[in-house]
Amino acid sequence: MRTLRTVTELRTAVRAARRQDPAGVIGLVPTMGALHDGHVQLIREARLACEHVVVSLFVNPAQFDAASDLAAYPRDEQSDAGQASEAGADFLFAPSLETVYPDGFATSVQLSGPLVETLEGAHRGAAHFHGVTTVVTKLFNMVQPDVAFFGRKDAQQVLVVSKLVEDLDLPIRIEAVDTVREPDGLARSSRNVRLSADDRPKALALRAGLLAAEAAFAAGERDAQNVHAVAVQAMTDLGVAPEYLALVHPRTLAPVTTIDGGTLVVVAAHVGGVRLIDNTTLGPDPSGRR
Ligand code: PAF
Protein backbone atom coordinates (compact mmCIF):
# COMPACT_ATOMS: atom_id res chain seq x y z
CA MET A 1 0.00 0.00 0.00
CA ARG A 2 1.28 3.46 -0.90
CA THR A 3 0.54 6.51 1.22
CA LEU A 4 -0.25 9.63 -0.82
CA ARG A 5 -0.41 13.14 0.62
CA THR A 6 -1.17 15.50 -2.25
CA VAL A 7 -3.86 15.61 -4.92
CA THR A 8 -1.14 15.48 -7.60
CA GLU A 9 0.35 12.29 -6.12
CA LEU A 10 -3.13 10.78 -5.80
CA ARG A 11 -4.20 11.68 -9.36
CA THR A 12 -0.91 10.34 -10.80
CA ALA A 13 -1.39 7.03 -8.96
CA VAL A 14 -5.08 6.65 -9.88
CA ARG A 15 -4.41 7.64 -13.51
CA ALA A 16 -1.62 5.04 -13.75
CA ALA A 17 -3.96 2.40 -12.29
CA ARG A 18 -6.64 3.31 -14.87
CA ARG A 19 -4.11 3.29 -17.74
CA GLN A 20 -2.80 -0.16 -16.77
CA ASP A 21 -6.28 -1.57 -16.31
CA PRO A 22 -8.88 0.53 -18.17
CA ALA A 23 -11.77 -1.75 -17.10
CA GLY A 24 -10.60 -1.86 -13.48
CA VAL A 25 -13.05 -0.49 -10.93
CA ILE A 26 -11.72 2.14 -8.50
CA GLY A 27 -13.22 1.93 -5.02
CA LEU A 28 -13.02 4.61 -2.34
CA VAL A 29 -13.48 4.07 1.39
CA PRO A 30 -13.64 7.54 2.96
CA THR A 31 -12.63 7.57 6.64
CA MET A 32 -11.60 9.95 9.38
CA GLY A 33 -9.06 7.41 10.63
CA ALA A 34 -9.21 5.72 14.05
CA LEU A 35 -9.94 2.63 12.01
CA HIS A 36 -11.80 -0.27 13.64
CA ASP A 37 -13.37 -3.50 12.43
CA GLY A 38 -16.24 -1.55 10.84
CA HIS A 39 -13.78 0.26 8.56
CA VAL A 40 -11.87 -2.97 7.96
CA GLN A 41 -15.11 -4.52 6.74
CA LEU A 42 -15.68 -1.57 4.35
CA ILE A 43 -12.15 -2.00 2.95
CA ARG A 44 -12.59 -5.78 2.59
CA GLU A 45 -15.86 -5.26 0.69
CA ALA A 46 -14.12 -2.71 -1.51
CA ARG A 47 -11.27 -5.18 -2.10
CA LEU A 48 -13.76 -7.85 -3.21
CA ALA A 49 -15.67 -5.51 -5.53
CA CYS A 50 -12.89 -3.34 -6.99
CA GLU A 51 -9.57 -3.74 -8.76
CA HIS A 52 -8.08 -0.68 -7.04
CA VAL A 53 -8.90 0.42 -3.51
CA VAL A 54 -8.24 3.89 -2.12
CA VAL A 55 -8.79 4.56 1.59
CA SER A 56 -8.90 8.23 2.50
CA LEU A 57 -7.92 9.38 5.98
CA PHE A 58 -8.88 12.92 6.84
CA VAL A 59 -10.33 14.22 10.11
CA ASN A 60 -12.72 16.79 8.70
CA PRO A 61 -13.06 19.78 11.06
CA ALA A 62 -16.05 21.08 9.07
CA GLN A 63 -18.34 18.28 10.27
CA PHE A 64 -17.62 18.53 14.02
CA ASP A 65 -20.16 20.59 15.95
CA ALA A 66 -17.98 20.91 19.08
CA ALA A 67 -14.32 21.89 19.13
CA SER A 68 -13.85 19.54 22.12
CA ASP A 69 -15.15 16.58 20.07
CA LEU A 70 -12.71 17.41 17.27
CA ALA A 71 -9.83 17.73 19.75
CA ALA A 72 -10.75 14.42 21.42
CA TYR A 73 -11.10 12.53 18.13
CA PRO A 74 -8.59 9.64 18.26
CA ARG A 75 -5.71 9.85 15.75
CA ASP A 76 -3.15 7.12 15.01
CA GLU A 77 -2.06 7.13 11.38
CA GLN A 78 0.43 4.30 11.84
CA SER A 79 -2.20 1.94 13.19
CA ASP A 80 -4.68 3.11 10.52
CA ALA A 81 -2.15 2.46 7.75
CA GLY A 82 -1.41 -1.03 9.10
CA GLN A 83 -5.11 -1.95 9.23
CA ALA A 84 -5.90 -0.45 5.82
CA SER A 85 -3.00 -2.31 4.22
CA GLU A 86 -3.91 -5.60 5.88
CA ALA A 87 -7.53 -5.26 4.76
CA GLY A 88 -6.37 -4.87 1.16
CA ALA A 89 -6.10 -1.15 0.37
CA ASP A 90 -3.77 -0.20 -2.48
CA PHE A 91 -3.52 3.48 -1.59
CA LEU A 92 -3.93 5.46 1.61
CA PHE A 93 -4.77 9.08 0.78
CA ALA A 94 -3.89 11.10 3.89
CA PRO A 95 -3.97 14.77 2.91
CA SER A 96 -3.09 17.65 5.22
CA LEU A 97 -5.67 20.18 6.37
CA GLU A 98 -4.15 22.73 3.93
CA THR A 99 -4.48 20.29 1.03
CA VAL A 100 -8.21 19.87 1.62
CA TYR A 101 -8.97 23.40 2.80
CA PRO A 102 -6.29 25.72 1.44
CA ASP A 103 -6.17 29.33 2.57
CA GLY A 104 -9.14 31.19 1.10
CA PHE A 105 -11.31 28.07 0.68
CA ALA A 106 -14.82 29.50 0.24
CA THR A 107 -17.15 26.77 -1.05
CA SER A 108 -19.75 24.69 0.75
CA VAL A 109 -21.80 21.89 -0.78
CA GLN A 110 -25.15 21.76 1.01
CA LEU A 111 -28.28 19.66 0.78
CA SER A 112 -31.48 21.15 2.14
CA GLY A 113 -34.65 19.54 3.49
CA PRO A 114 -35.47 16.78 5.93
CA LEU A 115 -32.51 14.52 5.06
CA VAL A 116 -30.14 17.05 6.64
CA GLU A 117 -32.52 18.87 8.98
CA THR A 118 -34.00 15.97 11.00
CA LEU A 119 -32.45 13.54 13.51
CA GLU A 120 -28.66 14.09 13.39
CA GLY A 121 -29.25 17.39 11.58
CA ALA A 122 -31.71 18.58 14.23
CA HIS A 123 -29.47 17.61 17.14
CA ARG A 124 -26.02 18.41 15.75
CA GLY A 125 -27.15 21.18 13.40
CA ALA A 126 -27.44 20.88 9.60
CA ALA A 127 -23.89 22.29 9.40
CA HIS A 128 -22.67 18.80 10.32
CA PHE A 129 -24.02 17.38 7.07
CA HIS A 130 -22.87 20.45 5.10
CA GLY A 131 -19.37 19.59 6.36
CA VAL A 132 -19.82 15.97 5.29
CA THR A 133 -21.19 16.76 1.82
CA THR A 134 -18.49 19.37 1.20
CA VAL A 135 -15.62 17.04 2.10
CA VAL A 136 -17.18 14.01 0.39
CA THR A 137 -17.64 16.03 -2.81
CA LYS A 138 -13.98 17.07 -2.58
CA LEU A 139 -12.84 13.47 -1.96
CA PHE A 140 -14.98 12.24 -4.86
CA ASN A 141 -13.42 14.86 -7.15
CA MET A 142 -9.91 14.15 -5.93
CA VAL A 143 -10.10 10.33 -6.21
CA GLN A 144 -12.75 10.04 -8.97
CA PRO A 145 -13.82 6.57 -7.82
CA ASP A 146 -16.40 4.36 -9.54
CA VAL A 147 -17.78 3.13 -6.21
CA ALA A 148 -17.65 4.51 -2.66
CA PHE A 149 -18.31 2.50 0.50
CA PHE A 150 -20.09 3.82 3.61
CA GLY A 151 -21.20 2.09 6.81
CA ARG A 152 -24.88 1.55 7.55
CA LYS A 153 -24.31 2.58 11.19
CA ASP A 154 -24.43 6.15 9.83
CA ALA A 155 -27.76 5.48 8.09
CA GLN A 156 -28.59 9.15 7.63
CA GLN A 157 -25.16 9.86 6.18
CA VAL A 158 -25.69 7.08 3.60
CA LEU A 159 -28.99 8.74 2.55
CA VAL A 160 -27.40 12.20 2.44
CA VAL A 161 -24.44 11.05 0.33
CA SER A 162 -26.71 9.04 -1.99
CA LYS A 163 -28.86 12.15 -2.53
CA LEU A 164 -25.74 14.26 -3.17
CA VAL A 165 -24.62 11.80 -5.85
CA GLU A 166 -28.10 11.69 -7.39
CA ASP A 167 -28.64 15.46 -7.38
CA LEU A 168 -25.20 16.32 -8.78
CA ASP A 169 -25.17 13.44 -11.32
CA LEU A 170 -21.90 12.19 -9.90
CA PRO A 171 -20.90 8.98 -11.74
CA ILE A 172 -20.30 7.09 -8.49
CA ARG A 173 -22.17 4.11 -7.03
CA ILE A 174 -22.73 4.23 -3.27
CA GLU A 175 -22.40 0.90 -1.47
CA ALA A 176 -23.76 0.65 2.08
CA VAL A 177 -22.07 -1.97 4.25
CA ASP A 178 -23.64 -3.61 7.33
CA THR A 179 -22.74 -2.42 10.82
CA VAL A 180 -20.00 -4.41 12.53
CA ARG A 181 -20.56 -4.99 16.25
CA GLU A 182 -18.47 -5.84 19.30
CA PRO A 183 -19.19 -9.39 20.61
CA ASP A 184 -21.72 -7.92 23.10
CA GLY A 185 -23.59 -6.04 20.36
CA LEU A 186 -22.19 -2.50 20.68
CA ALA A 187 -21.83 -0.99 17.20
CA ARG A 188 -18.16 -0.43 16.34
CA SER A 189 -17.31 3.25 16.43
CA SER A 190 -14.13 5.29 16.65
CA ARG A 191 -15.68 6.91 19.71
CA ASN A 192 -15.96 3.62 21.68
CA VAL A 193 -12.35 3.93 22.89
CA ARG A 194 -13.41 7.06 24.78
CA LEU A 195 -15.95 5.17 26.91
CA SER A 196 -14.78 4.76 30.51
CA ALA A 197 -14.86 1.29 32.10
CA ASP A 198 -17.92 2.40 34.09
CA ASP A 199 -19.74 3.73 31.02
CA ARG A 200 -18.91 0.85 28.67
CA PRO A 201 -21.78 -1.43 29.92
CA LYS A 202 -24.20 1.52 29.68
CA ALA A 203 -23.31 1.96 26.02
CA LEU A 204 -25.22 -1.27 25.38
CA ALA A 205 -28.41 0.70 26.08
CA LEU A 206 -28.63 1.78 22.41
CA ARG A 207 -28.54 -1.82 21.20
CA ALA A 208 -30.94 -2.83 23.99
CA GLY A 209 -33.43 -0.20 22.78
CA LEU A 210 -33.18 -1.43 19.20
CA LEU A 211 -33.52 -5.08 20.23
CA ALA A 212 -36.61 -4.19 22.28
CA ALA A 213 -38.08 -2.50 19.19
CA GLU A 214 -37.27 -5.60 17.10
CA ALA A 215 -38.86 -7.88 19.73
CA ALA A 216 -42.04 -5.78 19.91
CA PHE A 217 -42.29 -5.79 16.11
CA ALA A 218 -41.68 -9.56 15.99
CA ALA A 219 -44.48 -10.00 18.55
CA GLY A 220 -46.86 -8.22 16.17
CA GLU A 221 -46.78 -4.64 17.44
CA ARG A 222 -47.27 -2.22 14.55
CA ASP A 223 -48.04 1.02 16.39
CA ALA A 224 -44.88 3.14 16.19
CA GLN A 225 -45.65 4.94 19.45
CA ASN A 226 -45.85 1.64 21.35
CA VAL A 227 -42.62 0.35 19.79
CA HIS A 228 -41.00 3.68 20.62
CA ALA A 229 -42.13 3.40 24.25
CA VAL A 230 -40.70 -0.10 24.80
CA ALA A 231 -37.42 0.86 23.13
CA VAL A 232 -37.00 3.97 25.30
CA GLN A 233 -37.91 1.94 28.41
CA ALA A 234 -35.21 -0.65 27.58
CA MET A 235 -32.68 2.18 27.40
CA THR A 236 -33.75 3.96 30.57
CA ASP A 237 -33.65 0.58 32.40
CA LEU A 238 -29.90 0.69 31.69
CA GLY A 239 -29.63 4.26 32.91
CA VAL A 240 -29.39 5.96 29.51
CA ALA A 241 -31.93 8.44 28.12
CA PRO A 242 -31.89 8.70 24.32
CA GLU A 243 -31.06 12.05 22.77
CA TYR A 244 -33.54 10.85 20.18
CA LEU A 245 -35.09 7.52 19.28
CA ALA A 246 -37.28 7.63 16.19
CA LEU A 247 -39.14 5.34 13.82
CA VAL A 248 -38.83 6.76 10.33
CA HIS A 249 -39.21 5.93 6.67
CA PRO A 250 -35.91 4.39 5.53
CA ARG A 251 -35.60 6.64 2.46
CA THR A 252 -37.24 9.96 3.42
CA LEU A 253 -36.73 9.87 7.22
CA ALA A 254 -40.37 10.98 7.61
CA PRO A 255 -41.83 9.88 10.96
CA VAL A 256 -43.83 6.65 10.77
CA THR A 257 -47.02 6.12 12.77
CA THR A 258 -47.89 2.56 11.66
CA ILE A 259 -45.17 0.09 10.74
CA ASP A 260 -46.53 -1.34 7.51
CA GLY A 261 -43.39 -1.42 5.39
CA GLY A 262 -39.70 -1.33 6.18
CA THR A 263 -39.13 1.11 9.03
CA LEU A 264 -35.80 2.48 10.20
CA VAL A 265 -35.32 2.81 13.95
CA VAL A 266 -32.56 5.31 14.72
CA VAL A 267 -31.14 6.17 18.08
CA ALA A 268 -28.56 8.58 19.51
CA ALA A 269 -27.48 8.92 23.13
CA HIS A 270 -24.74 10.41 25.24
CA VAL A 271 -23.02 7.85 27.43
CA GLY A 272 -20.64 9.58 29.79
CA GLY A 273 -19.23 12.29 27.55
CA VAL A 274 -19.45 10.16 24.41
CA ARG A 275 -22.16 10.54 21.78
CA LEU A 276 -23.15 7.24 20.15
CA ILE A 277 -25.60 6.34 17.38
CA ASP A 278 -27.07 3.08 16.09
CA ASN A 279 -30.02 1.85 14.05
CA THR A 280 -31.98 -1.17 12.89
CA THR A 281 -34.64 -1.89 10.29
CA LEU A 282 -38.04 -3.38 11.12
CA GLY A 283 -39.74 -5.30 8.33
CA PRO A 284 -38.52 -5.56 4.75
CA ASP A 285 -35.50 -3.38 4.03
CA PRO A 286 -36.08 -1.36 0.82
CA SER A 287 -32.48 -2.12 -0.20
CA GLY A 288 -33.52 -5.79 -0.41
CA ARG A 289 -31.00 -6.72 2.28
CA ARG A 290 -33.37 -9.10 4.04
O1 PAF B 1 -18.17 8.64 8.12
C1 PAF B 1 -17.13 9.30 8.24
O2 PAF B 1 -16.13 8.83 8.79
C2 PAF B 1 -17.08 10.71 7.68
O3 PAF B 1 -18.30 11.36 7.84
C3 PAF B 1 -16.61 10.78 6.21
C4 PAF B 1 -17.60 10.10 5.29
C5 PAF B 1 -15.24 10.11 6.08
C6 PAF B 1 -16.49 12.23 5.77
O4 PAF B 1 -15.55 12.92 6.53
Side-chain angles (χ1 to χ4, degrees):
M1 185 186 76
R2 280 177 58 203
T3 298
L4 311 165
R5 305 268 172 207
T6 67
V7 179
T8 307
E9 277 174 358
L10 172 73
R11 289 230 168 106
T12 306
V14 172
R15 237 182 256 134
R18 281 210 191 273
R19 236 193 335 265
Q20 260 177 14
D21 179 13
V25 175
I26 312 260
L28 170 65
V29 181
T31 82
M32 295 204 299
L35 299 195
H36 51 68
D37 284 0
H39 296 108
V40 166
Q41 189 57 27
L42 294 177
I43 301 167
R44 289 207 181 115
E45 300 255 344
R47 180 73 282 161
L48 285 175
C50 308
E51 278 68 33
H52 309 281
V53 176
V54 181
V55 173
S56 66
L57 192 174
F58 178 68
V59 182
N60 177 33
Q63 70 188 79
F64 284 81
D65 14 300
S68 55
D69 196 23
L70 173 62
Y73 201 81
R75 293 159 212 247
D76 185 347
E77 184 179 319
Q78 213 182 346
S79 155
D80 291 341
Q83 291 185 70
S85 165
E86 202 165 310
D90 299 302
F91 304 107
L92 181 71
F93 177 49
S96 66
L97 185 62
E98 296 69 34
T99 296
V100 178
Y101 298 119
D103 254 3
F105 184 84
T107 299
S108 177
V109 180
Q110 305 191 357
L111 267 72
S112 56
L115 285 189
V116 295
E117 285 160 10
T118 55
L119 305 171
E120 288 297 284
H123 290 268
R124 303 186 63 174
H128 162 68
F129 284 119
H130 301 336
V132 170
T133 45
T134 300
V135 85
V136 165
T137 304
K138 288 210 65 156
L139 290 168
F140 284 174
N141 283 329
M142 289 165 163
V143 179
Q144 302 188 338
D146 301 296
V147 197
F149 296 79
F150 292 84
R152 280 202 166 96
K153 181 174 76 70
D154 297 297
Q156 192 170 359
Q157 175 170 275
V158 172
L159 292 174
V160 166
V161 171
S162 301
K163 184 78 176 127
L164 169 79
V165 161
E166 182 190 332
D167 284 359
L168 296 185
D169 303 303
L170 301 178
I172 299 168
R173 194 174 83 241
I174 301 303
E175 281 290 338
V177 175
D178 281 348
T179 301
V180 177
R181 298 182 180 281
E182 309 266 357
D184 63 4
L186 178 66
R188 300 265 186 191
S189 161
S190 304
R191 293 190 161 91
N192 291 354
V193 295
R194 287 167 47 200
L195 290 164
S196 71
D198 281 351
D199 287 333
R200 176 63 182 72
K202 284 192 188 164
L204 288 178
L206 287 87
R207 181 71 174 145
L210 297 175
L211 289 176
E214 286 179 11
F217 177 75
E221 182 61 75
R222 294 294 179 268
D223 183 288
Q225 250 185 359
N226 293 343
V227 172
H228 180 269
V230 294
V232 171
Q233 187 61 55
M235 291 185 70
T236 45
D237 285 351
L238 289 173
V240 175
E243 182 177 61
Y244 65 78
L245 188 147
L247 283 82
V248 295
H249 187 278
R251 289 265 170 266
T252 63
L253 300 182
V256 162
T257 49
T258 304
I259 308 167
D260 52 10
T263 294
L264 185 63
V265 188
V266 282
V267 61
H270 288 270
V271 180
V274 185
R275 187 173 187 278
L276 301 171
I277 60 170
D278 202 349
N279 66 78
T280 191
T281 304
L282 305 179
D285 186 314
S287 66
R289 204 157 38 104
R290 45 163 130 140

